[in-house]
Amino acid sequence: MNQVIYLVPALGIIGLIVMAVKSAWVSKQDAGDKNMQELAGYIAQGAMAFLKAEWKVLSIFVLIAAVLLAYSGTIKEVNGVEIHSSWIISIAFIIGAVFSATAGYIGMKVATKANVRTTQAARTSLAQALKVSFTGGTVMGLGVAGLAVLGLGSLFIIFLNIFSDLGENTIKTAIEVLTGFSLGAESIALFARVGGGIYTKAADVGADLVGKVEAGIPEDDVRNPATIADNVGDNVGDVAGMGADLFGSYVATILATMVLGQEIYVDDNFGGMSPILLPMLICGLGIVFSIVGTWFVKVKDEKSNVQAALNIGNWLAMILTVIASYFVVNYMLPDDELTLRGVPFTKNGVFMAIIIGTIVGAIMSIVTEYYTAMGKRPVNSIIKKSATGHATNIIGGLSVGMESTVVPMIVLAAGIMGSYHFAGLYGVAIAAAGMMATTAMQLAIDAFGPIADNAGGIAEMSQLPPEVRERTDNLDAVGNTTAATGKGFAIASAALTSLALFAAFVGIAGISAIDIYKAPVLAGLFVGAMIPFIFSALAIEAVGKAAMDMVQEVRRQFREIPGIMEYKAKPEYEKCVEISTRASIREMMLPGAIALITPIIIGFLFGPEVLGGLLAGVTVSGVLMGIFQSNAGGAWDNAKKSFEKGVEINGEIYYKKSEPHKASVTGDTVGDPFKDTSGPSMNILIKLMSIVSLVIAPYIAVPNTGGTVGGACCMEGKMEMSGKCDLDKCAKMTPEECASYCDKMGCSAEEKEACMHMSKKHHGNSSCMAGCEHNCSNKEECQKNCGDQCASMHASNHTCGDSCEHQCSSQDECQKNCNGKCSS
Amino acid sequence: MNQVIYLVPALGIIGLIVMAVKSAWVSKQDAGDKNMQELAGYIAQGAMAFLKAEWKVLSIFVLIAAVLLAYSGTIKEVNGVEIHSSWIISIAFIIGAVFSATAGYIGMKVATKANVRTTQAARTSLAQALKVSFTGGTVMGLGVAGLAVLGLGSLFIIFLNIFSDLGENTIKTAIEVLTGFSLGAESIALFARVGGGIYTKAADVGADLVGKVEAGIPEDDVRNPATIADNVGDNVGDVAGMGADLFGSYVATILATMVLGQEIYVDDNFGGMSPILLPMLICGLGIVFSIVGTWFVKVKDEKSNVQAALNIGNWLAMILTVIASYFVVNYMLPDDELTLRGVPFTKNGVFMAIIIGTIVGAIMSIVTEYYTAMGKRPVNSIIKKSATGHATNIIGGLSVGMESTVVPMIVLAAGIMGSYHFAGLYGVAIAAAGMMATTAMQLAIDAFGPIADNAGGIAEMSQLPPEVRERTDNLDAVGNTTAATGKGFAIASAALTSLALFAAFVGIAGISAIDIYKAPVLAGLFVGAMIPFIFSALAIEAVGKAAMDMVQEVRRQFREIPGIMEYKAKPEYEKCVEISTRASIREMMLPGAIALITPIIIGFLFGPEVLGGLLAGVTVSGVLMGIFQSNAGGAWDNAKKSFEKGVEINGEIYYKKSEPHKASVTGDTVGDPFKDTSGPSMNILIKLMSIVSLVIAPYIAVPNTGGTVGGACCMEGKMEMSGKCDLDKCAKMTPEECASYCDKMGCSAEEKEACMHMSKKHHGNSSCMAGCEHNCSNKEECQKNCGDQCASMHASNHTCGDSCEHQCSSQDECQKNCNGKCSS
C-alpha cells in the first residue's frame, strides 16, 4: 500500500492540533466580570444538560442499532447474492455516533466559552471581538472536519488490514463496513438537528410569549425564567446541531465517492485505490487551506467591513483547494481513460467536476443571500406587504420562499448534468466532495454567528456600555447573512451527496435502472416526496407543543415565586432548561423514526427499485422544502429586522412597534420553526434515508437482471461488473491481457473465468458487443469478428431497421444485409 | 365498424338534452323583486364582461397555437421516426378550446340565473331552495360531461372516416389528432382556472381591505364599489374555472385511456377497438347514472339533512356506474388475455381497476373532508392555536396542510400499484376514467355551492327576512364541504390522469424507460418538481398585485364620488369589474406560458427521457402542493367560520371580533389564494404539461433503443412493439398464427416481416427469449428450443451464475452446465 493513504489521517490530526491550539487560546481570553461569568455559566450548564440528556436517549438507540447491525454483518448471502460485510460494521457505527457527538460537544464547549469572551473583547475593539468569536467558530470547523477525516482515514486503513485475508473482497468489505461510520454520524446528526431545532425555537417562542407579551419585560431580561433556555437554544440548535449536520454531510459525501471509486478499475501507483483515496485527500487538504484562509479573516479598525474579511478568507480557502485538487488529481489518477458503469472519463474530467461542485456551492450561497438579505428586492417586497397587515406579510414570505427555489434547482440540475458529463457518476460525487472540502472554513464562518449573537445577549443582560453592543450587533448582522449562505451551502451539498449515495445504492443493490415509468417505482416516488411534508409538519407541530409547555412553566414561576419581578428572587432557570430539553427529546423521536424506518420497510417489502423511487422522491421534495422553508424564514427574519432602523413604505417611515412592524413580527415567528427546525432538517432527512438505504442495499439486492424483461441477454449487453472485474474492460482485452488484469485486480477464479470468457468471445473486435451493429457492416463480418451472438443480432430485422442508415453504405448493401426492411 | 361507437355521442346528446330541459326549468323560476333582479343583473353582466375579455385574449392564443399545430401536422418524419398526424389537429384544438369555453359559459350563465332564483325560492322553503340551486349545478355538470363525451365521441368517428385510407395507421392518426381536442380544452382550462382564481381573490381581498377595514361597512354592502366584482368572482372562479378544469380532466382522462387502449391488440367484435371505446362508453353511461342520481337529491322539510341528500345521489350514481361497468367490460372485452407493453391482464382485471379508481376517489374526498371540516381535529387544532396569535394560527394551518398530504399520497400510490397490478398501465388509465365517470354528478354537487353562496349574498344585499338567509346559509355550509371534497376528487383524478398521459407519452416518444438513475433525467426531475413552486409563487403574487389595484380604485371612488356613503350616488361597479378582469388576464399569462412552453423547450433540447423526468417531477410536486395548499386554505377558512357560532378555547368561549377570531381571519386571508388560486391550478398545470408533452412526443421521439448501453441485444430482449404488431406476442405464436395476426392488425409488410422473424426464431418454446435461462436446463436444450442466440447466452458464465439455483437440480449438473462457477 502506498504511503499516501497515511497522509489522510495525518491531515485530520493536523486539523485537530490546530483546533486544540485555538481552543486553548480562546480559553485563555478574559471572561469578563463575575456577573458576565455567572450568566455564561448558566448557559454553558444548560447546554451541557441538554447534551447529556440527549446522549442518554441516543445511547440506547445506538446500542440497539449496533446490535442489529452486528447481526446483519453476519449474514453472508441473501437471495443468492453474496454480501461483503462484517459484524465490525456495528463498531464503525458506534465510532461514527461518538465522533458526531464529540464534534457537536467540541463546538458547543468552545461556543459557550467564546460568547462571554467575545463580549469582553468587544469592550476593547471590533477587531478583537471578531478575532475571539471567529476563533471560536474555527475551533468548531476544524473539530468537525478534523474528526471526520481522521475517522474515515484511519478506520479505512484499519479495515483494510482487518479484512486483508479476503483477497479481492478486501476493499469492498472495508468500504461496506465504513458505511456504518457514516450511518452513525448521520443518525446522531438528525437527532441533534431536529432536537436542537425544537429546543431553540420552543425556548424562544415560550420566552417571548410570556415574557415580552404578557409580563412586558424586554428580551434577554434576567427576570424571565426562560431566558437562559433561550440562549442555550442558540448553542444547542445553531452550533451543536449545525456541527453534527455538516459532520454527517462531510462524511457521507466522502464515503459516497469512495463507494463509487471502488467500482472503477484503475491501473495506478496506489494499488488501484486512487479513486477511493482522492476524495479523502482533497478534503484533508481542504482542512489545511481552511486554516490558511482563517489567517486572512481580520479587520483593522472599527470601520472595517467584517463581511469582506470573511469573504476573503472563504474564497482564498476555496481557490487554494481547487488549485491543489488539480495537482492531486494529476498526481494520483492515471492518464488512461477510466470507466464507471459504462461512462468513460479522464482525469481532466474529474478536475472539471470538482470545479463545477465549487461553483454550484458558490452560486447556491449567493442566491440564498439575495433572497434573505436586507435591502434586496425579496425582503423589501415583504416589508412593503407588511403595511397591509399580517396576512399579506405571510403571503409575501411564502411566495418569496417558493420563488427562491427556482435558481437553486436549475443550478443543481445543471451541476448534476455538468459533473456527470465530465466524469460520470464519479464526477457527481467528487463535485460534492470538492464543494465540501472547505467545510472547516464554512463552518467557522457559520458558527461565528451564534457566538456573536450570544455575546450580544450577554452584553445586554450585563448592561454593558452601548459601544459594546454596537460592536456585537455589527458581528451579529454579518452572522445572519453567513447563517443564510451556510444553509444554501448545506442544502446544495446534501443534494449532491444524496445523488452520489443514490448512485452508490444502485450499484450495491444490483439494479441497473430506476424506471419511474414502472407503476410501483412511481408509487415509491409519490410516497417519498410526501415524507418531507409530514416531517416538516411534525417538526413545526413539535415546536408549537414544546412552546406551550414552556409558557405554562414560565407563568407558573411568575405566579408561585414571589419577588421575581423585583429582582428579589432568582427564577428557576433550570426548570425551563429541563422542559425544553425534555420536550425536544420527546418530539424528535417520531420524525427520526420515520427517516430511519421508512427505507427499511419499503426496501424489504418492495425491493430496491421502488426504494430508489422513494429516495428520488425524498431528495427532490426535501431539497425543495428545505430551500423554501429556510429562505422564507430568513427573509421574514430580515424583514422584521429592517424595522429596527426604520423602513419606508409608500413614502412613510415605519419603526419598531408600528403596525407594519407587528405584522413583520408575525412573519418572523412563523419563519422561526421554518428556518431553524424543519428547513435545515431536510438536509439530514434526505442524507440519512439514503445512507440507511445504502446500508441495507446488500440485503435487498436483486440478482443482476435488467429488470422484468430482457433477462440474460440484456445483462450481457450491459456488461455488468463481475466482482472486481469489469466485463466491459475484459471484452476489450486479448485473453492474455485479461488474464493479467484479473490477477492484478485479485479476481476470484470464477470472476477470472467470466472475464476470460468475455475476452475470448469478443477478441478480434474490441467493443463488439457494446455496439455490435455499428461495428460490423454485415452478418459475415459480425460472425467473424464477434462470434455467433453478434451475428445473430445483426440478422434480426428489428435491429437492422433501427439504425440502418449507419450500417449500410448503399441501398443494395442494405437490401442484402437487412432483408429489405432497411432499403426503403 | 360496430354500432356501439355511435352510442358514445348519443349518450353525450342525452346529457345535453336533459341539461337544456333543466336549464329551461331554472329560467322559468321566479327571479324575485326588482331590487334582487337588478343586483343579479350586475353580477351576470360582470361575469359576462370577464368571459368576453378572457375570450378575446385567448382567441389570439388559440389562433397562433392552431397555426403552429397545423404546421406540425404536416411533418411526416423526424429523425427517421414516422409521425402519424395531420393539419386537422388544429381543427380539433380549436373545437376543444371552444367546447371548453362553452362548458364554462353554460355553467356561468345558469349560475348567474340560479343564484337570485335560489334566494327567491328560499323565501318559501329549504326544499325548494335546494331544488333550484342543485338544478343549477346539475346544468353545469351535465353541460361539461355532455359536451366532453359528445365532442370526443363524434370527433373520433369523424377522424376515423377522414383517415380511413391510411390503412393500419387510421386509428393511430385519429387518436393523435384527437389529442388536439384535449390540448385545446386543457389550455383554456388553465387560463380559466388561473385567471378566475386571480379574479375572485383580488376582488375579495380588495373589497374587504377598503370596505370592511377602512370604511367600516359590512361585507356585501351595496355601497362598496368592489362588492359586485366580489360576487362576480365567485362565478368566474368557482363555477366557470371549476367547470373548465373538470372538462379538461374528463377529456384528458378518456383520451389517455384511448391512447393506451390503441396499443392493445384485441380480437373482439369491435374491430379491435374495444379498449379504445371502453372509457368513452363508461363515461357516457356515467352521465346517464348521474342524471338518475340527481333525482334522489331532495329534502322533505326544513330539518332535513342536505348533505345526506347529496351523498345519496352521489353514491347512487357511483355504484350504478360501477355495476354498469361490469357488464360493459364483459360485453366488450374478449375473454382472452390482453397485453400492454409486456404486462398481461384480463377483463376482470380491468373491472377491478375501475373499482380501485372509484375507491381512490372516494377516499380522497373523505380525507379532504376530514382535514377541512368544522369540528374535526385539524380545524380544531387551528382554532386552538388562534388563541396565541396570528403566527401560531398560520403555523397551525401550514402544518395541517402538510400533514394532510400523507394519506392521499399513500392512497394514490396504492391506487397506482393496485390498478397496475390488475390491468397494467391500461388499468391505471381506466381507473382514472372510472373515477371520472360520474363527473356530471360531482360537478353538480360542486357548482351548487357557489350558487347558494351567491344566493346568500343577494339575500343580504336585498335585506330579506332572516329565515331566508338561514336557509341559504344552511345550503352554503354544505357547499363549503362539497367544495373541499370536490377539490380532493379533482386532484386525485389529475394525478391518475397525468399518470395515464405519462404512459401514453412514453409509448409515443419511443422510449422504454424513464431512468432517474441517469443524471440528466434526475436533473429533469429536479427542475420539474420546482415548477409547481414557481407557479404557486406567481399565482399568489398575482392575487396580491391585483388586490392592490382594486384597493386604489375603491379608495378613489370613495374619494371622488360624493354621496356613495349616504346611498345617494351609485358606485361605478363596472370600473372595479374591469380592474379585476384586466388584472386577472394580465397576470395569468406568465404562469400559463411556463406550463405551455417548458415541456417544449426541455423536450426539444434534451429529448423525451429528460422530459419524462420533468413530467414526473411536476406531477409529484404538483399533487403535493395542490393537496397542501387546498387543504390548508380550506382548514383556515372553516377555522374562521367556526367563530361565528362561538368556539371554546381552554374553557373560554370566543366569538367574532375576539382576538382569536382576528388571528383566524389572518389565516383565512392567507388561505384564500392557496385554496382558490394556486392550489386548484396545480391539477391543470400537471395535466396541461403532460398533454403538451404528448402532443410533441412524435416530434422528439427517439428511434427504438434500449438506452445508452445494451443496444440491439437489449431491444430484442425487451420485445418492443414494431408498429401495430407486438413482437412479444409474435414470439409466442407459430409462424402461421403470426401471419394471420399481422394481417388482422393491418401491419405493414416490414412489420409483418419483423414479426415473422420473431415467430420463426422462437417457435418451439414460446417465451424462450424472455426468460431463456429459466426455460432450458442446459445448452443443448436451449439450442434445440430457442436457437443459437439463447444457447449462446446460456453458455455464458455470467448468466449461469446469476440464477443457477433455478437452473440445475444437482451440483453435477451445474458443474457441467456452468463450468464450475455455479456448482460452488
Side-chain angles (χ1 to χ4, degrees), chain B residues 446-485:
Chain B
D446 235 22
F448 131 92
I451 293 174
D453 191 3
N454 252 259
I458 294 173
E460 186 77 27
M461 291 194 257
S462 322
Q463 285 133 347
L464 296 185
E467 76 267 19
V468 176
R469 180 76 205 206
E470 213 167 272
R471 289 184 188 121
T472 60
D473 273 359
N474 185 342
L475 295 180
D476 187 22
V478 175
N480 276 328
T481 308
T482 60
T485 57

Side-chain angles (χ1 to χ4, degrees), chain A residues 341 499 517 522 713 716 796, chain B residues 341 499 517 522 713 716 796:
Chain A
R341 300 193 191 164
L499 219 69
Y517 164 63
L522 192 67
C713 177
E716 279 207 3
S796 150
Chain B
R341 303 192 190 162
L499 219 69
Y517 164 61
L522 192 65
C713 177
E716 278 207 3
S796 149

Side-chain angles (χ1 to χ4, degrees), chain B residues 261-325:
Chain B
Q262 179 238 138
E263 284 187 29
I264 304 172
Y265 164 70
V266 193
D267 186 8
D268 61 13
N269 304 319
F270 307 92
M273 290 204 295
S274 55
I276 302 172
L277 297 178
L278 189 62
M280 289 200 281
L281 204 59
I282 290 176
C283 286
L285 289 172
I287 295 179
V288 175
F289 294 119
S290 293
I291 296 171
V292 174
T294 60
W295 299 339
F296 292 82
V297 178
K298 50 179 143 197
V299 293
K300 276 190 197 147
D301 52 40
E302 300 301 304
K303 299 234 169 65
S304 300
N305 188 334
V306 177
Q307 181 74 56
L310 292 171
N311 286 348
I312 288 170
N314 190 14
W315 281 103
L316 194 70
M318 271 161 62
I319 291 167
L320 287 175
T321 307
V322 168
I323 294 171
S325 301

Side-chain angles (χ1 to χ4, degrees), chain A residues 74-88:
Chain A
T74 62
I75 300 170
K76 289 293 162 219
E77 196 199 283
V78 174
N79 295 330
V81 181
E82 262 182 81
I83 294 172
H84 305 287
S85 186
S86 156
W87 64 270
I88 297 172

Side-chain angles (χ1 to χ4, degrees), chain B residues 23 185 238 318 335 343 419 478 483 550 604:
Chain B
S23 177
D238 297 346
M318 271 161 62
D335 292 329
V343 179
S419 55
V478 175
M550 186 65 80
F604 280 98

Side-chain angles (χ1 to χ4, degrees), chain A residues 195-236:
Chain A
I198 295 170
Y199 189 114
T200 176
K201 289 305 133 184
D204 193 1
V205 174
D208 285 1
L209 279 180
V210 191
K212 279 206 286 195
V213 181
E214 291 182 14
I217 54 179
E219 195 163 342
D220 284 336
D221 192 292
V222 281
R223 289 171 292 177
N224 191 333
T227 193
I228 293 295
D230 188 5
N231 274 284
V232 170
D234 290 345
N235 291 295
V236 162

